[in-house]
Amino acid sequence: MADADPYSPHGLSPAEAAARLAAEGPNELAPPQRRTAWRIAFEVAREPMFGLLIAAGVLYLLLGDHGEAAVLLVFVLVTVAITVVQERRSERALEALRDLSSPRALVIRDGQQLRIAGREVVRGDLLVLREGDRVAADATLIEAHDLQADESLLSGESLPVPKQPGAGDAGRVFAGTLLASGGGLAHVAATGPATAFGRIGGALAAIESPPTPLQTQIRTLVRLFSLAGLALSALVVLLYGLQRGDWLAGLLAGITLAMAMLPEEFVLILTVFMAMGAWRLSRQRVLTRRTAVIEALGAATVLATDKTGTLTENRMAVAELVRREGAQWHRWRAGEAALPQAFHALLEAAQLASEKQPFDPMDRALIALAAERLPPSPLRNGGELVHEYGLTPERMAMTHVWQLPGEHGCSVATKGAPEAVAALCRLGDEQRAAAHAQAEAMGVRGLRVLAVARARFEDEAWPADPAEFAFEWLGLVALADPLRAGVREAVQECREAGIRVLMLTGDHPVTARAIVAQAGIEADAVHARVTPERKLELVTSLVARGEVVAMTGDGVNDAPALKAAHIGVAMGARGTDVAREAAALVLLDDDFGALVRAVRQGRRIHDNLRKAMRFVLAVHVPIAGLALLPLLLGAPPLFTPLHIALLELLIDPVCSIVFEAEPEEDDVMRRAPRDPAAPVFGTAMLVGALAQGALVLVAVAALHALLRPALGEAQARAAAFVALVACNVALILANRVLHGPLRASLARPNPMLWRMLAATGALLALVLGVPALRALFGFALPPASALAAAGALALAVLVLLSAARMPRS
């Protein structure tokens, strides 16, 4: 891979990048295959309800009822159209999520670091490489600091490969590979299909995730109802044929009953709710990488969060510099006119111990202050970073070794936790105690405290451990990171919702306690100086105790804990690609409040899912009962496949659109988390839904029985159909709240509900008002008194349903 293009240290301009993106295309392989409208329609055609509609149409043709057959064909087309629209709505939501979840890249353009979508990287970009990131494109190294890349995706070699600028593969990084350690800067040479990965035809195969507990429950429920419906339908066909001798009519009656009992809406509800729920979360700046996590959100009992950037603004600024001279401590505070000469060495060493291409807010704050307050320095302006020692769980300090061109010796700078730097400097007990007291005093004020030291090194070989350097203690740096607006309110909301908030941080305990005090978190809920390994231990122990844990993380070493948590949450702004890939959610703004809003949204989605399923189960009882009862009583069929198809046309959008758009319950964040092991249909809820449907069945059947002698079959059937539709509206209103009075349902804003009710009324008026349609459905226009009785019946049903105050489970 040759790279002859010259590059500027400032990177491309936005105009140059846009021109190359337009000319060479996005940095991606073949995108995932979209589900077209035709493909969705084909999938709909394989559904049982579709087959039943087709079978009923064929039977009508055999019976010579061409009008009924034509109307059923129209219903088939309308059903397909509605399903395609709903499915495409879900597909568009998922496509938007895929755009958000595409790999990110940190590039330098016009001298500024920008985090962009990986697909927007172009040839000539300057890539900033960081530990834990996935490389966005093939690139030639310009700088590298202890950089190692996992290239097993291309080579099959499991060990990370060291990388350094120079000739050969060791001087290049390749798209799709993972940076195991270190960092650097690289010039992009190839993107998309032109990369090594693209040339060998690599394609990311879709991984089929196992079904979630909710999906398993729904499939079991649908299977049971379907088997019961088909068995009962077969019995009806036999009874009808044997008793009445009309096998074709019996087959039609059996199909009618099967259509009435088949709960195909359950699968539709689950698909639409999960996709739209993920889309709604994305609008709140929370990316759902695995939709199954939506099930767990409403059950979360513990939110384990880090501090910097999540509870705080991640907007670091140096607040104080502190140095000791003899027994006296001297302090410089931000805002003072000048930085005294005595503090120059402290600030310079703090900058040298920071990354050259800073991403960490503390590094950026130190470099910014040095640029503003320090005079030019040969080492800072012309030195080369020749070696570095990273943070480890055993030593919470970062050490950089610098050398001026032509010089033999090196300058060493380190910064980190005060106790770690004190150990490197081999301070005596009195000095340690004094430094500890200073750090404690600043930590109490909520400041983040780092210690800084320096050393000289004259030997040839680097020591294996930075403790072998002869460090000189320089002082302390205190940085301020204010609490995010709204965090205290979000913590209080969690407390009211029965959710415990834990803070896991690598900060000093005093600093950590100051932040939790500001945030309103209990003092015993803070874990300071926490390593990634300790995070994993904490999460594992919480899960073992039966807690449902959501945990935030951003680093490579956080990935195991993110996977161990029920809800792994990665940081979108500062998180590594490894953390994002291990997590189920990504907070695009790194904001704790967004996580709490996601929990609120998860509870709303689960509530609405149960409302929709309760409605579907209830509404099928009167439909199936009114299809079956006349056959058992030896009366003419009340409803035919035409009527069932029309009812399904009204039910499907209600359950998948209206209930999905329902606002949250008033007490959504004032009740304890739900039991994740509890079935979506508890016994009380199942019995309640069947009781709702039974009430509607008895009411409509009684109305039909009363009206039939006086009005005749056609008018009584029309009145009963109107009553059934009106009672279905009553079921919708009654199920809009999980429990509570009628006024709680009517007062809830949901524009989709009123649009759907208006469409239902218009369709019903059309069927009754157009003579040809009336005849087709076997209706005769009932008198106003019968229609008034149907409306009054629905109102009475609504009052009874509201008075029942449905249980929550």
Side-chain angles (χ1 to χ4, degrees):
M1 178 182 66
D3 182 14
D5 288 347
Y7 64 87
S8 162
H10 296 287
L12 299 175
S13 69
E16 289 172 325
R20 291 199 179 186
L21 184 63
E24 300 177 8
N27 176 37
E28 61 184 0
L29 302 181
Q33 185 178 1
R34 294 179 58 186
R35 292 173 71 229
T36 63
W38 286 110
R39 182 180 174 187
I40 295 172
F42 176 73
E43 291 173 0
V44 173
R46 297 161 56 190
E47 293 293 324
M49 182 62 73
F50 186 92
L52 291 172
L53 285 170
I54 294 294
V58 171
L59 284 176
Y60 275 125
L61 286 175
L62 293 176
L63 293 170
D65 296 330
H66 298 97
E68 286 86 344
V71 171
L72 273 181
L73 178 61
V74 171
F75 278 141
V76 167
L77 296 176
V78 172
T79 300
V80 170
I82 289 176
T83 306
V84 168
V85 168
Q86 290 170 332
E87 291 279 351
R88 283 301 300 148
R89 186 175 178 227
S90 299
E91 282 288 303
R92 284 194 295 272
L94 292 175
E95 286 168 8
L97 292 176
R98 278 195 290 267
D99 288 342
L100 281 173
S101 62
S102 66
R104 319 299 285 174
L106 190 64
V107 299
I108 296 176
R109 288 183 181 171
D110 266 354
Q112 300 294 318
Q113 289 190 10
L114 300 174
R115 185 161 286 278
I116 62 174
R119 68 189 306 274
E120 296 175 7
V121 173
V122 298
R123 185 174 51 80
D125 261 327
L126 290 183
L127 276 182
V128 179
L129 306 174
R130 298 188 307 133
E131 176 180 316
D133 281 353
R134 201 167 284 284
V135 180
D138 286 5
T140 302
L141 285 172
I142 301 169
E143 298 176 8
H145 315 297
D146 292 339
L147 186 64
Q148 296 189 74
D150 177 357
E151 297 182 347
S152 57
L153 185 70
L154 290 173
S155 66
E157 174 59 49
S158 59
L159 294 176
V161 179
K163 296 288 181 178
Q164 282 293 337
D169 286 348
R172 298 195 289 262
V173 289
F174 301 98
T177 59
L178 184 66
L179 300 179
S181 65
L185 187 66
H187 183 228
V188 174
T191 61
T195 62
F197 186 67
R199 286 198 304 274
I200 63 175
L204 299 178
I207 299 174
E208 291 293 333
S209 300
T212 66
L214 181 58
Q215 289 171 329
T216 302
Q217 289 182 40
I218 295 302
R219 290 174 184 176
T220 302
L221 199 63
V222 170
R223 190 179 302 114
L224 290 175
F225 274 90
S226 299
L227 290 175
L230 291 174
L232 198 56
S233 299
L235 181 61
V236 164
V237 173
L238 285 174
L239 291 175
Y240 203 103
L242 292 173
Q243 291 179 359
R244 306 189 187 189
D246 191 343
W247 289 96
L248 280 180
L251 192 56
L252 197 60
I255 289 174
T256 303
L257 184 59
M259 291 173 62
M261 293 191 68
L262 190 66
E264 83 288 345
E265 296 93 351
F266 283 147
V267 177
L268 177 67
I269 290 169
L270 190 59
T271 302
V272 172
F273 273 53
M274 292 300 107
M276 294 305 298
W279 176 74
R280 289 183 188 278
L281 284 172
S282 74
R283 297 186 69 187
Q284 298 187 14
R285 306 289 293 163
V286 179
L287 171 62
T288 308
R289 298 191 68 252
R290 290 185 284 278
T291 56
V293 77
I294 292 173
E295 291 183 46
L297 274 172
T301 60
V302 173
L303 301 187
T305 175
D306 57 357
K307 177 182 77 68
T308 304
T310 308
L311 295 178
T312 60
E313 292 185 0
N314 200 23
R315 182 172 52 81
M316 287 286 188
V318 176
E320 297 177 9
L321 300 176
V322 180
R323 54 178 288 274
R324 188 179 186 184
E325 188 173 319
Q328 298 296 316
W329 287 88
H330 301 275
R331 192 179 310 273
W332 174 87
R333 293 182 172 87
E336 293 183 9
L339 180 69
Q341 178 74 31
F343 288 93
H344 284 198
L346 169 60
L347 181 55
E348 181 174 67
Q351 180 188 2
L352 292 174
S354 303
E355 295 292 343
K356 289 185 66 176
Q357 298 291 340
F359 189 74
D360 182 87
M362 291 188 293
D363 284 1
R364 294 163 86 172
L366 290 167
I367 291 173
L369 183 65
E372 176 187 349
R373 298 285 184 160
L374 294 181
S377 157
L379 192 59
R380 287 188 294 111
N381 298 108
E384 180 185 358
L385 179 61
V386 292
H387 196 66
E388 61 182 307
Y389 300 86
L391 289 166
T392 67
E394 296 76 26
R395 181 170 290 112
M396 302 294 288
M398 171 72 76
T399 302
H400 285 176
V401 182
W402 291 81
Q403 187 174 38
L404 280 172
E407 276 197 2
H408 174 70
C410 297
S411 294
V412 186
T414 189
K415 75 177 192 311
E419 61 269 28
V421 176
L424 287 173
C425 294
R426 302 178 182 86
L427 295 184
D429 292 342
E430 185 274 333
Q431 290 176 303
R432 281 180 187 247
H436 177 74
Q438 288 291 325
E440 288 266 329
M442 290 187 285
V444 166
R445 303 201 305 275
L447 300 176
R448 176 74 180 269
V449 183
L450 299 175
V452 182
R454 69 182 178 185
R456 284 291 299 175
F457 185 71
E458 304 294 339
D459 293 342
E460 296 290 340
W462 311 120
D465 191 316
E468 297 181 35
F469 294 118
F471 280 110
E472 171 196 359
W473 174 275
L474 292 177
L476 300 171
V477 177
L479 300 103
D481 184 11
L483 196 72
R484 280 184 182 270
V487 163
R488 192 174 183 87
E489 292 77 8
V491 170
Q492 177 61 30
E493 191 173 14
C494 288
R495 185 177 291 113
E496 293 175 355
I499 302 170
R500 199 153 52 101
V501 180
L502 303 181
M503 189 178 86
L504 315 180
T505 178
D507 280 356
H508 192 280
V510 175
T511 305
R513 284 196 292 271
I515 292 296
V516 297
Q518 295 175 36
I521 300 172
E522 293 84 352
D524 62 353
V526 60
H527 297 263
R529 290 291 187 245
V530 174
T531 63
E533 290 77 11
R534 178 59 181 152
K535 280 187 181 181
L536 178 59
E537 292 174 7
L538 287 169
V539 169
T540 304
S541 65
L542 288 168
V543 171
R545 295 207 303 264
E547 304 280 6
V548 179
V549 182
M551 197 210 83
T552 66
D554 58 2
V556 177
N557 293 331
D558 288 334
L562 291 174
K563 280 187 172 291
H566 296 92
I567 309 164
V569 184
M571 302 295 103
R574 71 180 192 277
T576 61
D577 287 344
V578 171
R580 288 165 61 97
E581 290 172 10
L585 293 180
V586 178
L587 302 184
L588 298 178
D589 293 331
D590 295 5
D591 182 6
F592 177 76
L595 178 56
V596 178
R597 291 193 295 274
V599 172
R600 173 186 285 271
Q601 192 68 234
R603 291 188 173 194
R604 185 196 72 83
I605 291 167
H606 191 268
D607 283 351
N608 288 347
L609 188 71
R610 295 174 67 233
K611 294 174 191 175
M613 290 183 174
R614 190 171 68 183
F615 164 75
V616 168
L617 188 59
V619 84
H620 274 276
V621 173
I623 295 174
L626 292 170
L628 180 62
L629 274 178
L631 303 178
L632 296 178
L633 298 175
L638 179 58
F639 294 145
T640 67
L642 280 177
H643 302 100
I644 305 300
L646 180 59
L647 288 168
E648 292 289 340
L649 199 64
L650 301 174
I651 293 171
D652 282 3
V654 166
C655 67
S656 62
I657 296 177
V658 172
F659 280 107
E660 192 281 326
E662 275 295 304
E664 65 192 34
E665 295 283 304
D666 292 337
D667 66 341
V668 69
M669 292 297 279
R670 293 199 304 274
R671 59 178 190 251
R674 65 178 178 84
D675 181 359
V680 66
F681 274 119
T683 303
M685 182 176 172
L686 186 63
V687 171
L690 294 176
Q692 284 186 344
L695 174 63
V696 174
L697 170 60
V698 171
V700 176
L703 180 68
H704 178 259
L706 288 173
L707 294 179
R708 187 181 174 201
L711 300 180
E713 183 62 40
Q715 285 188 324
R717 177 185 288 121
F721 189 84
V722 171
L724 180 58
V725 171
C727 285
N728 286 350
V729 172
L731 285 174
I732 295 170
L733 296 175
N735 284 288
R736 291 188 68 205
V737 290
L738 286 175
H739 64 101
L742 175 62
R743 63 178 179 274
S745 172
L746 296 177
R748 294 167 64 82
N750 185 344
M752 296 305 301
L753 169 67
W754 306 114
R755 293 172 194 168
M756 197 59 60
L757 293 183
T760 299
L763 187 58
L764 194 58
L766 192 66
V767 169
L768 291 177
V770 178
L773 289 178
R774 276 204 312 269
L776 196 61
F777 281 87
F779 293 158
L781 189 63
S785 58
L787 294 177
L793 181 71
L795 184 59
V797 166
L798 179 57
V799 172
L800 287 173
L801 291 174
S802 175
R805 297 178 62 87
M806 288 294 296
R808 201 179 278 284
S809 59

